[in-house]
Amino acid sequence: MDLRVLVVVFSMVVSELPHVHTRPIDFVCDSEARIMMNKVKDLQVEMVVCSAVDALPSDIKLPCIRIHKATWERKSVHEQRAEILLSLGTLAQDVRSARTLSQPGCGLTLLERLEHSINNYLHVVRLLHIEQGEQVGPQAEPCLGQPSKDLGLVLKHFGLLLTGKLEWLILEMAKGC
């Protein structure tokens, strides 16, 4: 591999991870770390500048973002985490598929950055240490999100997943900070 390519790839990765050394406990106990990790607003701004992203080349299932408070609170943190992991995993897979079908340009770059951001969240949520019971959470019931080719809607739902379900899980876990 050409050294220049390696340097470019490394600089892209570093630029996307402002808190490379953030530990999962920091993610839970430090709201500023979570705010810094959330790149949805940056991606939305970039999407406005990138006119090539009118429609995605394939459908992306929108993550389920609705929360019935009483039902959510009855779920264990394992179940909540499993539900979030399922949503993030499905979103990452669909974004990856759309990315592979995209033409080179700003639309492809935007999808790569989105996929990277989703994968960062998947990694952090998988590493969250949950004190209660077993470390492997139960399987979440699949929530079949509506498919969309609208990247703006995908970004909106991703952002709402982070500020909704994920933040509620973190607030529950932060009681131990």
PDB file of all heavy atoms in Angstrom, residues 8 14 32 54 63-65 67 78 88 93 99 105 131 133 138 160 165:
ATOM      1  N   VAL A   8      -3.309   9.424   4.341  1.00  0.00           N
ATOM      2  CA  VAL A   8      -4.635  10.021   4.132  1.00  0.00           C
ATOM      3  C   VAL A   8      -5.691   9.261   4.931  1.00  0.00           C
ATOM      4  O   VAL A   8      -6.521   9.874   5.611  1.00  0.00           O
ATOM      5  CB  VAL A   8      -4.991  10.044   2.629  1.00  0.00           C
ATOM      6  CG1 VAL A   8      -6.441  10.430   2.425  1.00  0.00           C
ATOM      7  CG2 VAL A   8      -4.081  11.000   1.884  1.00  0.00           C
ATOM      8  N   VAL A  14      -8.455   9.758  12.279  1.00  0.00           N
ATOM      9  CA  VAL A  14      -8.182  10.605  13.434  1.00  0.00           C
ATOM     10  C   VAL A  14      -9.122  11.797  13.460  1.00  0.00           C
ATOM     11  O   VAL A  14      -9.613  12.186  14.512  1.00  0.00           O
ATOM     12  CB  VAL A  14      -6.703  11.047  13.453  1.00  0.00           C
ATOM     13  CG1 VAL A  14      -6.446  12.115  14.488  1.00  0.00           C
ATOM     14  CG2 VAL A  14      -5.813   9.843  13.708  1.00  0.00           C
ATOM     15  N   GLU A  32     -20.225  15.792  27.985  1.00  0.00           N
ATOM     16  CA  GLU A  32     -19.436  16.530  26.987  1.00  0.00           C
ATOM     17  C   GLU A  32     -18.785  15.554  25.996  1.00  0.00           C
ATOM     18  O   GLU A  32     -18.709  15.851  24.804  1.00  0.00           O
ATOM     19  CB  GLU A  32     -18.370  17.384  27.682  1.00  0.00           C
ATOM     20  CG  GLU A  32     -17.613  18.288  26.758  1.00  0.00           C
ATOM     21  CD  GLU A  32     -18.476  19.377  26.117  1.00  0.00           C
ATOM     22  OE1 GLU A  32     -19.474  19.804  26.727  1.00  0.00           O
ATOM     23  OE2 GLU A  32     -18.148  19.780  24.991  1.00  0.00           O
ATOM     24  N   ASP A  54     -29.334  13.878  -3.461  1.00  0.00           N
ATOM     25  CA  ASP A  54     -30.789  14.043  -3.504  1.00  0.00           C
ATOM     26  C   ASP A  54     -31.499  12.758  -3.096  1.00  0.00           C
ATOM     27  O   ASP A  54     -32.423  12.773  -2.305  1.00  0.00           O
ATOM     28  CB  ASP A  54     -31.233  14.474  -4.899  1.00  0.00           C
ATOM     29  CG  ASP A  54     -30.776  15.885  -5.226  1.00  0.00           C
ATOM     30  OD1 ASP A  54     -30.567  16.668  -4.279  1.00  0.00           O
ATOM     31  OD2 ASP A  54     -30.600  16.188  -6.414  1.00  0.00           O
ATOM     32  N   PRO A  63     -34.067   3.889  11.787  1.00  0.00           N
ATOM     33  CA  PRO A  63     -34.131   3.292  13.127  1.00  0.00           C
ATOM     34  C   PRO A  63     -35.435   3.682  13.817  1.00  0.00           C
ATOM     35  O   PRO A  63     -35.956   4.768  13.599  1.00  0.00           O
ATOM     36  CB  PRO A  63     -32.929   3.889  13.857  1.00  0.00           C
ATOM     37  CG  PRO A  63     -32.361   4.934  12.986  1.00  0.00           C
ATOM     38  CD  PRO A  63     -33.004   4.856  11.644  1.00  0.00           C
ATOM     39  N   CYS A  64     -35.940   2.767  14.610  1.00  0.00           N
ATOM     40  CA  CYS A  64     -37.148   3.049  15.391  1.00  0.00           C
ATOM     41  C   CYS A  64     -36.763   4.004  16.511  1.00  0.00           C
ATOM     42  O   CYS A  64     -35.872   3.710  17.306  1.00  0.00           O
ATOM     43  CB  CYS A  64     -37.719   1.761  15.977  1.00  0.00           C
ATOM     44  SG  CYS A  64     -38.265   0.613  14.713  1.00  0.00           S
ATOM     45  N   ILE A  65     -37.433   5.128  16.554  1.00  0.00           N
ATOM     46  CA  ILE A  65     -37.050   6.156  17.523  1.00  0.00           C
ATOM     47  C   ILE A  65     -38.135   6.448  18.547  1.00  0.00           C
ATOM     48  O   ILE A  65     -37.884   7.115  19.533  1.00  0.00           O
ATOM     49  CB  ILE A  65     -36.656   7.463  16.804  1.00  0.00           C
ATOM     50  CG1 ILE A  65     -37.770   7.904  15.864  1.00  0.00           C
ATOM     51  CG2 ILE A  65     -35.347   7.286  16.071  1.00  0.00           C
ATOM     52  CD1 ILE A  65     -37.569   9.258  15.240  1.00  0.00           C
ATOM     53  N   ILE A  67     -40.473   6.174  21.644  1.00  0.00           N
ATOM     54  CA  ILE A  67     -40.296   5.582  22.964  1.00  0.00           C
ATOM     55  C   ILE A  67     -41.591   5.748  23.740  1.00  0.00           C
ATOM     56  O   ILE A  67     -42.078   6.861  23.914  1.00  0.00           O
ATOM     57  CB  ILE A  67     -39.162   6.255  23.754  1.00  0.00           C
ATOM     58  CG1 ILE A  67     -37.830   6.134  23.027  1.00  0.00           C
ATOM     59  CG2 ILE A  67     -39.051   5.663  25.148  1.00  0.00           C
ATOM     60  CD1 ILE A  67     -36.707   6.912  23.672  1.00  0.00           C
ATOM     61  N   HIS A  78     -30.006  -4.283  29.797  1.00  0.00           N
ATOM     62  CA  HIS A  78     -29.570  -5.243  28.771  1.00  0.00           C
ATOM     63  C   HIS A  78     -30.511  -5.192  27.568  1.00  0.00           C
ATOM     64  O   HIS A  78     -30.060  -5.183  26.420  1.00  0.00           O
ATOM     65  CB  HIS A  78     -29.551  -6.673  29.326  1.00  0.00           C
ATOM     66  CG  HIS A  78     -28.493  -6.907  30.355  1.00  0.00           C
ATOM     67  ND1 HIS A  78     -27.155  -6.937  30.053  1.00  0.00           N
ATOM     68  CD2 HIS A  78     -28.580  -7.105  31.688  1.00  0.00           C
ATOM     69  CE1 HIS A  78     -26.453  -7.165  31.149  1.00  0.00           C
ATOM     70  NE2 HIS A  78     -27.300  -7.257  32.162  1.00  0.00           N
ATOM     71  N   LEU A  88     -28.635   0.277  15.544  1.00  0.00           N
ATOM     72  CA  LEU A  88     -27.364   0.760  15.000  1.00  0.00           C
ATOM     73  C   LEU A  88     -26.788  -0.229  13.981  1.00  0.00           C
ATOM     74  O   LEU A  88     -26.269   0.172  12.933  1.00  0.00           O
ATOM     75  CB  LEU A  88     -26.354   1.006  16.119  1.00  0.00           C
ATOM     76  CG  LEU A  88     -26.606   2.217  17.013  1.00  0.00           C
ATOM     77  CD1 LEU A  88     -25.658   2.196  18.213  1.00  0.00           C
ATOM     78  CD2 LEU A  88     -26.462   3.517  16.236  1.00  0.00           C
ATOM     79  N   GLN A  93     -25.448  -1.506   8.408  1.00  0.00           N
ATOM     80  CA  GLN A  93     -25.494  -2.435   7.275  1.00  0.00           C
ATOM     81  C   GLN A  93     -26.134  -1.777   6.056  1.00  0.00           C
ATOM     82  O   GLN A  93     -25.628  -1.887   4.934  1.00  0.00           O
ATOM     83  CB  GLN A  93     -26.277  -3.686   7.677  1.00  0.00           C
ATOM     84  CG  GLN A  93     -26.410  -4.710   6.598  1.00  0.00           C
ATOM     85  CD  GLN A  93     -27.212  -5.919   7.080  1.00  0.00           C
ATOM     86  OE1 GLN A  93     -27.424  -6.120   8.264  1.00  0.00           O
ATOM     87  NE2 GLN A  93     -27.666  -6.718   6.136  1.00  0.00           N
ATOM     88  N   ARG A  99     -23.571   2.829   0.369  1.00  0.00           N
ATOM     89  CA  ARG A  99     -22.246   3.351   0.056  1.00  0.00           C
ATOM     90  C   ARG A  99     -21.598   2.570  -1.086  1.00  0.00           C
ATOM     91  O   ARG A  99     -20.991   3.150  -1.980  1.00  0.00           O
ATOM     92  CB  ARG A  99     -21.351   3.303   1.300  1.00  0.00           C
ATOM     93  CG  ARG A  99     -19.962   3.890   1.082  1.00  0.00           C
ATOM     94  CD  ARG A  99     -19.085   3.761   2.306  1.00  0.00           C
ATOM     95  NE  ARG A  99     -19.007   2.443   2.898  1.00  0.00           N
ATOM     96  CZ  ARG A  99     -18.256   1.444   2.442  1.00  0.00           C
ATOM     97  NH1 ARG A  99     -17.524   1.585   1.361  1.00  0.00           N
ATOM     98  NH2 ARG A  99     -18.235   0.280   3.067  1.00  0.00           N
ATOM     99  N   GLY A 105     -17.624  10.851  -5.091  1.00  0.00           N
ATOM    100  CA  GLY A 105     -18.008  12.252  -4.943  1.00  0.00           C
ATOM    101  C   GLY A 105     -18.394  12.553  -3.511  1.00  0.00           C
ATOM    102  O   GLY A 105     -18.173  11.743  -2.598  1.00  0.00           O
ATOM    103  N   GLU A 131     -23.440  -3.632  35.006  1.00  0.00           N
ATOM    104  CA  GLU A 131     -23.192  -4.368  36.254  1.00  0.00           C
ATOM    105  C   GLU A 131     -24.166  -5.522  36.479  1.00  0.00           C
ATOM    106  O   GLU A 131     -23.789  -6.578  36.935  1.00  0.00           O
ATOM    107  CB  GLU A 131     -23.286  -3.406  37.449  1.00  0.00           C
ATOM    108  CG  GLU A 131     -22.248  -2.317  37.436  1.00  0.00           C
ATOM    109  CD  GLU A 131     -20.888  -2.792  37.886  1.00  0.00           C
ATOM    110  OE1 GLU A 131     -20.819  -3.724  38.692  1.00  0.00           O
ATOM    111  OE2 GLU A 131     -19.896  -2.213  37.426  1.00  0.00           O
ATOM    112  N   GLY A 133     -26.319  -8.657  36.282  1.00  0.00           N
ATOM    113  CA  GLY A 133     -26.470  -9.939  35.592  1.00  0.00           C
ATOM    114  C   GLY A 133     -25.437 -10.211  34.518  1.00  0.00           C
ATOM    115  O   GLY A 133     -24.308  -9.773  34.577  1.00  0.00           O
ATOM    116  N   PRO A 138     -30.045  -9.829  26.148  1.00  0.00           N
ATOM    117  CA  PRO A 138     -31.001 -10.617  25.391  1.00  0.00           C
ATOM    118  C   PRO A 138     -31.213 -10.022  24.005  1.00  0.00           C
ATOM    119  O   PRO A 138     -30.902  -8.859  23.766  1.00  0.00           O
ATOM    120  CB  PRO A 138     -32.279 -10.520  26.237  1.00  0.00           C
ATOM    121  CG  PRO A 138     -32.123  -9.256  27.017  1.00  0.00           C
ATOM    122  CD  PRO A 138     -30.650  -9.081  27.236  1.00  0.00           C
ATOM    123  N   LEU A 160     -31.990  11.306  16.311  1.00  0.00           N
ATOM    124  CA  LEU A 160     -33.027  11.084  17.325  1.00  0.00           C
ATOM    125  C   LEU A 160     -32.792   9.784  18.096  1.00  0.00           C
ATOM    126  O   LEU A 160     -33.129   9.700  19.282  1.00  0.00           O
ATOM    127  CB  LEU A 160     -34.412  11.096  16.682  1.00  0.00           C
ATOM    128  CG  LEU A 160     -34.871  12.475  16.178  1.00  0.00           C
ATOM    129  CD1 LEU A 160     -36.151  12.354  15.362  1.00  0.00           C
ATOM    130  CD2 LEU A 160     -35.048  13.438  17.341  1.00  0.00           C
ATOM    131  N   LYS A 165     -33.297   7.149  22.638  1.00  0.00           N
ATOM    132  CA  LYS A 165     -33.070   5.859  23.297  1.00  0.00           C
ATOM    133  C   LYS A 165     -31.678   5.736  23.901  1.00  0.00           C
ATOM    134  O   LYS A 165     -31.527   5.299  25.046  1.00  0.00           O
ATOM    135  CB  LYS A 165     -33.308   4.709  22.315  1.00  0.00           C
ATOM    136  CG  LYS A 165     -34.758   4.505  21.964  1.00  0.00           C
ATOM    137  CD  LYS A 165     -34.931   3.333  21.027  1.00  0.00           C
ATOM    138  CE  LYS A 165     -36.396   3.126  20.711  1.00  0.00           C
ATOM    139  NZ  LYS A 165     -36.602   1.969  19.826  1.00  0.00           N
TER     140      LYS A 165
END
